[in-house]
Amino acid sequence: MKKIVVIPGDGIGKEVMNSALRILESFDLPFSYEFAEAGDETKERTGHALPEDTLEACKNSSAVLFGAAGESAAEVIVRLRRELSTFANIRPAKTFKGVKSLYDDVDIVIVRENTECLYLGLEFEINSGVTEAIRVITEKASEKIAKFAFELAMREKRRRVTALHKANVMKKTCGLFRDVCRRVSKNYPEIEFNDYYIDAGCMYLVLDPWRFDVIVTTNMFGDIVSDLSAGIVGGLGLAPSANIGDEHSIFEPVHGSAPDIAGKGIANPSAMILSATMMLKHFGYLNIALKIERALEKTITNGKTTPDLGGNLSTEEMTDEIIKNLD
Ligand code: ATP
């Protein structure tokens, strides 16, 4: 039995979490759910955005399903990612029929290293008007993320892994990352491997996104490329994400608590549901995950959506439609 800690959090987090749980409960899965609290409302009541017992529950869980946190997001989700040592950030960019996007049939997964690079925050002011930042890339972290990308490609039956870097300019740091990716690729002869400079890679992403399948890259490039890819498939509306570590994992929609629509019952549950399907894939329930994705796609194609996607259904009604389409 896998213990899933559920943190609905603030605003629409609660509403979309309810939908995701209804979808998961449509299947006979060996999961037990433990609810925990975090976020602005929790902070207001207890003085702590991420109470110790929530953190403890997460540390003792197989996975965390997270809804959203408002103003306290940094205290909650950023801290959780660090405390649970989630080294890989996974952001799929997939087109959905019925959702306006630049292209059709794009299906890319971005695997972003989550622990080092320029985002370590090692920034210094040398003297007035002169600042510097240190970029740390290690063989160990690069190997770990490269292996993770290939294992994901194998698991999801994907055909290619592409590494993005800038080894012609950052010869040491990006050179190490590229070389490690190339070395790791040799252990996966079933999966094609290639690498591009990040700038060329961005151009190819916009002009010809179909040449990508799984992208593996360093922290900052990954951050930028995931939003670029989200833009290619129609924005953040349907964007899920996963943070994966050796022992822990957190699955969360990319959107926030959306205070402007919270409580109105019109939040689009898709990103939260797709985050739950990422959890299913992570635990090896690929067929169930794909079944949910197909049901969601059918629901969207039929126009049975919340207002943000052009429909007139409530969150609950859209969830009902998805459940109907599971059959
Ligand atoms: P936060 O401070 O929690 O990040 P935010 O409003 O700054 O909240 P988002 O929550 O990502 O950021 O919302 C940005 C915009 O997108 C808002 O107008 C919001 O209503 C809309 N939005 C976000 N998520 C959804 C959703 N699931 N369904 C419908 N609209 C959404």
Side-chain angles (χ1 to χ4, degrees):
M1 187 68 86
K2 295 204 179 303
K3 186 175 105 175
I4 315 294
V5 168
V6 178
I7 306 179
D10 295 317
I12 64 165
K14 294 191 192 66
E15 301 162 43
V16 295
M17 184 64 80
N18 186 41
S19 297
L21 291 177
R22 283 185 59 204
I23 305 282
L24 286 174
E25 282 164 359
S26 306
F27 297 91
D28 188 19
L29 290 159
F31 295 166
S32 70
Y33 301 100
E34 178 180 332
F35 283 79
E37 59 171 2
D40 294 359
E41 290 172 27
T42 306
K43 187 175 181 178
E44 213 169 284
R45 215 183 48 257
T46 67
H48 302 283
L50 182 65
E52 277 308 307
D53 50 348
T54 297
L55 186 57
E56 267 313 295
C58 292
K59 284 182 176 171
N60 292 317
S61 73
S62 306
V64 177
L65 263 184
F66 184 80
E71 295 295 313
S72 58
E75 293 160 72
V76 179
I77 189 66
V78 177
R79 178 155 176 234
L80 258 185
R81 289 181 196 138
R82 198 179 55 241
E83 294 273 357
L84 301 187
S85 304
T86 52
F87 66 89
N89 182 242
I90 317 299
R91 292 259 303 261
K94 185 175 184 299
T95 45
F96 274 83
K97 289 193 188 75
V99 175
K100 203 164 162 272
S101 61
L102 287 176
Y103 298 106
D104 293 327
D105 298 323
V106 175
D107 183 3
I108 303 169
V109 179
I110 292 146
V111 176
R112 163 189 168 195
E113 204 290 323
N114 222 6
T115 65
E116 52 182 34
C117 188
L118 278 171
Y119 284 13
L120 279 178
L122 297 175
E123 293 198 297
F124 309 96
E125 185 166 349
I126 303 303
N127 51 46
S128 177
V130 181
T131 55
E132 68 173 24
I134 295 178
R135 182 170 196 249
V136 179
I137 300 290
T138 64
E139 183 171 6
K140 194 172 166 201
S142 301
E143 189 172 308
K144 203 162 178 171
I145 200 73
K147 274 188 187 158
F148 186 93
F150 280 98
E151 290 294 331
L152 182 143
M154 297 283 288
R155 211 168 47 240
E156 297 195 6
K157 300 180 177 42
R158 291 175 178 269
R159 68 183 196 291
R160 177 185 295 152
V161 171
T162 303
L164 297 179
H165 57 79
K166 190 69 182 170
N168 53 338
V169 176
M170 292 185 275
K171 292 184 195 310
K172 294 281 182 212
T173 52
C174 271
L176 176 63
F177 181 78
R178 177 202 55 198
D179 292 347
V180 169
C181 289
R182 284 181 179 171
R183 193 179 70 217
V184 169
S185 75
K186 304 277 184 274
N187 299 329
Y188 298 87
E190 310 85 336
I191 309 283
E192 283 174 46
F193 172 76
N194 64 353
D195 61 274
Y196 297 127
Y197 296 134
I198 181 71
D199 43 353
C202 287
M203 182 189 67
Y204 295 141
L205 262 171
V206 173
L207 290 180
D208 181 18
W210 303 281
R211 73 168 71 190
F212 295 94
D213 196 351
V214 176
I215 289 176
V216 62
T217 188
T218 47
N219 200 342
M220 191 177 76
F221 292 158
D223 194 12
I224 298 166
V225 161
S226 5
D227 274 29
L228 173 69
S229 307
I232 288 168
V233 299
L236 294 177
L238 276 81
S241 77
N243 301 277
I244 310 288
D246 287 325
E247 288 161 31
H248 299 105
S249 48
I250 310 167
F251 301 87
E252 49 165 335
V254 172
H255 66 70
S257 65
D260 54 335
I261 57 163
K264 294 185 179 161
I266 55 164
N268 178 358
S270 305
M272 186 74 239
I273 291 169
L274 290 171
S275 303
T277 66
M278 290 186 79
M279 179 177 81
L280 292 173
K281 288 180 188 173
H282 179 64
F283 288 141
Y285 299 103
L286 183 62
N287 288 337
I288 297 179
L290 294 178
K291 194 170 181 180
I292 296 171
E293 284 178 12
R294 279 195 299 271
L296 176 61
E297 191 151 47
K298 189 169 171 195
T299 306
I300 294 172
T301 314
N302 291 343
K304 304 283 188 188
T305 70
T306 45
D308 58 300
L309 291 181
N312 59 5
L313 299 191
S314 68
T315 310
E316 282 293 291
E317 288 165 339
M318 182 170 170
T319 310
D320 293 340
E321 288 295 326
I322 300 166
I323 291 171
K324 258 190 246 166
N325 288 332
L326 285 173
D327 300 325

